[in-house]
Amino acid sequence: MKVLVTGAAGFIGMHVAQRLLGRGDTVVGLDNLNDYYDVNLKLARLAELQKDPAFAFHRIDIVDPTALEHLIAKEGFESIVHLAAQAGVRYSLTNPHAYIQSNITGFLNVLEACRKHPVKHLVYASSSSVYGGNTKLPFVETDNVDHPVSLYAVTKKSNELMAHSYSHLFGIPTTGLRFFTVYGPWGRPDMALFIFTRAILAGQPIDIFNHGNMQRDFTYIDDVAQGVVAMLDRPPVANADFSAMSDPAHSWAPYQVLNIGNNGPAALLDYVDAIERSLRRKAERNYLPMQPGDVQATFADTSLLTRSTGVAPKTTIESGVQRFVDWYRAYYAQ
């Protein structure tokens, strides 16, 4: 299969591309290589992918509809995994326009390209952030998600709505994946694991928000990549008997959304403890109030993923954190 992976130089993009290549697919990656975080890390991820002759890379911004459509028209992809986006909840508080440009306009360009050059399946990144102010745990795809608490969440919910309209109007099979706090080797420097590890090794304090009273459904990157590829092989089909009142995760159109999480949240302080054990160092902890746009707890119900694919998350926090720390020490020679 020939697959386009947008955001291929990103954290999840790299691992999904590796998994596709590992099973013999031809992968074309695109990325704009922006400087939201260290570009050298993105280039290093690309260097890993470029070791495989079945991988090709194009530096393209999805906000450029002409360049994007030209690539899709030329290559004739069977499927697309769309992961390119402006990430981060906190960054959206100070740079909102970046999210509208990349996550809304950019996604529209992807949908339009798929309309003009049909693919068998468009899989795209949504986020656990769409659950917003929900307090009922675990989060299930049938939950109401109309109360976002960040602009980032707004853009991801908008992606789901946009995808549904294109699935309905043009028959494009679309699957939105709500990722839950992905972590692991080659991770993003703006994520807690990276920030905490770097600070502890430097002997600097770490900021712990809501005074540590937080839980996250930390999901290891290999489990995420496995789920993405498994779903890519299972495009949704239209359900003529669908009732919108019974299941907002599916549709009369070839459309679906589902969670990819660990199906078991961990306390933030337990996560910090695991990092300390892996580093064999204690952190100086700076306890702070809750940050705007943040939520106290996330918890994914992953039964739909397991029923659909047989995939179930299996990596423990202890194991996943240790693998990240091993990678971090090797990559940064620490």
Side-chain angles (χ1 to χ4, degrees):
M1 182 162 61
K2 190 174 189 179
V3 184
L4 172 64
V5 177
T6 74
F11 174 35
I12 299 177
M14 170 199 178
H15 287 272
V16 168
Q18 281 183 324
R19 194 168 191 91
L20 291 168
L21 291 167
R23 70 176 194 174
D25 290 339
T26 298
V27 179
V28 175
L30 71 78
D31 203 292
N32 67 355
L33 297 176
N34 67 26
D35 61 358
Y36 170 61
Y37 61 81
D38 183 13
V39 175
N40 289 323
L41 178 57
K42 298 180 181 183
L43 293 173
R45 293 182 186 131
L46 280 180
E48 290 294 309
L49 294 174
Q50 288 169 330
K51 293 176 182 178
D52 193 315
F55 177 80
F57 176 71
H58 297 266
R59 185 169 183 173
I60 292 174
D61 194 325
I62 57 170
V63 174
D64 180 348
T66 302
L68 178 64
E69 185 183 344
H70 176 75
L71 176 67
I72 292 175
K74 175 185 174 183
E75 295 288 347
F77 299 109
E78 293 176 67
S79 297
I80 295 175
V81 180
H82 174 55
L83 302 171
Q86 179 56 60
V89 170
R90 293 168 188 167
Y91 190 69
S92 69
L93 299 176
T94 55
N95 296 273
H97 294 285
Y99 290 79
I100 300 302
Q101 184 178 39
S102 181
N103 299 7
I104 302 297
T105 302
F107 188 54
L108 175 63
N109 292 339
V110 171
L111 289 169
E112 275 293 290
C114 290
R115 178 176 70 86
K116 298 173 184 176
H117 310 282
V119 294
K120 293 179 180 178
H121 196 187
L122 168 63
V123 172
Y124 62 94
S126 186
S127 169
S128 63
S129 294
V130 302
Y131 290 103
N134 282 17
T135 56
K136 181 184 71 67
L137 298 175
F139 295 157
V140 185
E141 294 88 349
T142 52
D143 290 341
N144 180 285
V145 290
D146 292 336
H147 297 86
V149 296
S150 70
L151 183 65
Y152 171 69
V154 170
T155 64
K156 288 303 182 178
K157 173 58 180 174
S158 297
N159 287 171
E160 295 178 3
L161 297 173
M162 294 164 71
H164 186 270
S165 67
Y166 273 70
S167 294
H168 166 66
L169 292 169
F170 308 113
I172 302 170
T174 66
T175 297
L177 302 177
R178 295 173 175 172
F179 297 130
F180 281 70
T181 316
V182 186
Y183 75 101
W186 297 99
R188 290 195 344 241
D190 63 327
M191 297 293 286
L193 179 55
F194 209 112
I195 293 170
F196 291 169
T197 299
R198 181 171 53 203
I200 294 169
L201 286 173
Q204 299 171 346
I206 61 173
D207 291 338
I208 298 178
F209 294 100
N210 202 34
H211 306 284
N213 184 25
M214 300 182 77
Q215 290 184 314
R216 287 291 180 272
D217 204 343
F218 297 104
T219 313
Y220 189 66
I221 184 60
D222 288 357
D223 295 329
V224 169
Q226 181 187 19
V228 172
V229 173
M231 287 307 305
L232 183 66
D233 294 337
R234 295 165 174 80
V237 295
N239 179 3
D241 298 324
F242 171 79
S243 168
M245 296 300 293
S246 63
D247 186 4
H250 295 90
S251 176
W252 60 84
Y255 164 92
Q256 60 187 348
V257 296
L258 74 162
N259 297 330
I260 296 189
N262 196 53
N263 195 33
L268 177 59
L269 295 182
D270 290 342
Y271 193 58
V272 175
D273 290 343
I275 299 170
E276 290 177 333
R277 286 192 293 272
S278 293
L279 292 172
R280 296 181 175 84
R281 298 191 188 186
K282 286 291 184 180
E284 180 184 346
R285 306 184 184 194
N286 182 26
Y287 292 99
L288 298 170
M290 180 80 87
Q291 285 240 115
D294 216 340
V295 297
Q296 183 174 339
T298 64
F299 180 180
D301 181 320
T302 57
S303 56
L304 179 56
L305 173 68
T306 302
R307 287 199 307 271
S308 299
T309 66
V311 170
K314 59 190 178 189
T315 307
T316 65
I317 292 291
E318 203 75 27
S319 173
V321 168
Q322 185 64 62
R323 292 179 206 174
F324 170 82
V325 167
D326 291 344
W327 166 81
Y328 186 96
R329 286 188 179 277
Y331 183 79
Y332 289 103
Q334 296 188 26

